[in-house]
Amino acid sequence: MTKKFLAVILVFMIVLSMGTVSANVHNNEKQEPNDVQVNKLTESSNELITNDDIKTDVEENIKHETVNSGNKQYTVTEAPEPIIPVEEKSDKRVIYPDKPMIAITYDDGPSVYTPEVLDILKENNSVATFFVLGSRVYDNNDTLNRMLEEGNQIGNHSYNHKNLTTISDEELYKQIKGTDDLVYIATGYTPSVMRPPYGSTNKELIQKISKPVIKWSVDTRDWENRNVEMINKNIFENVKDGDIILMHDLYESTLEASKIAIPELISRGFQIVTIDELFEYRGASLAAGEQYYNVYK
Ligand SMILES: [Zn+2]
């Protein structure tokens, strides 16, 4: 009776242990195909890992943390260690929204004079917006990257300066999208604003461009007069808070005029900012299908 009972117990235990083993095997079998699938996906997929992918992982980890950490449940904002801000550069530009500000724009470049224009801006802790031609991007890759590194803005000024009101839709698409793509390939940045050559627009064209169109309120006529005194006379007889100044980084006279005008504008109390900054700090919106000349208070 006792032996029989022991034998039954033994058989029962053997069956039980086999069950456990088989259950483990079963679990492993269940997990492995999943792992393999994940690996396959990672290997075969060419898709970039997006911010959202990372965010989901982080969120899952936070959930796990919360479950395992008993009463110590921190939210991200209540992290136990204070977050130390990155030390700010001492030469960082500070923009005062209530003080006068203007945007200088240089069209038709980049050219051999553009690096020197960038030097003047940098020396004066100022920035500008460069409406570049797509056809000049390839030869001026370094200059374009320098513009962005130093806080300047790049705008689209078409591929080769055609009057956009006179061309087909297909050509228009190439002029704008082609220039966007060339700038993107060179710098990783896509221009958000457009200035059509000659400022030539009509209502239909502005709608088709699908970016904010930026015109100007002070015309230096530097392309015409090629004269330092005349360029600066046009600036200083007209400039006021919120103006957008039109110049061309294509002429030596414009470079020479900039050497005088930029420090002089600053000494007269103007902050020299990009188009995006001018609109942002004045609380003005920029919309596709609209055109803008200035941001007056
Ligand atoms: Zn132009």
Side-chain angles (χ1 to χ4, degrees), residues 107-108 157 161 197-198 248:
D107 291 10
D108 299 359
H157 195 46
H161 219 267
Y198 315 102
H248 298 79

Side-chain angles (χ1 to χ4, degrees), residues 32-46:
E32 267 172 19
N34 280 344
D35 290 345
V36 170
Q37 264 183 351
V38 169
N39 286 340
K40 269 184 192 166
L41 265 179
T42 319
E43 277 167 16
S44 66
S45 171
N46 287 326

Side-chain angles (χ1 to χ4, degrees), residues 110 136-146 182 185-187:
R136 291 180 179 269
V137 165
Y138 185 80
D139 291 334
N140 294 285
N141 203 312
D142 292 347
T143 305
L144 285 163
N145 280 289
R146 188 184 157 194
L182 286 164
I185 290 162
T187 66

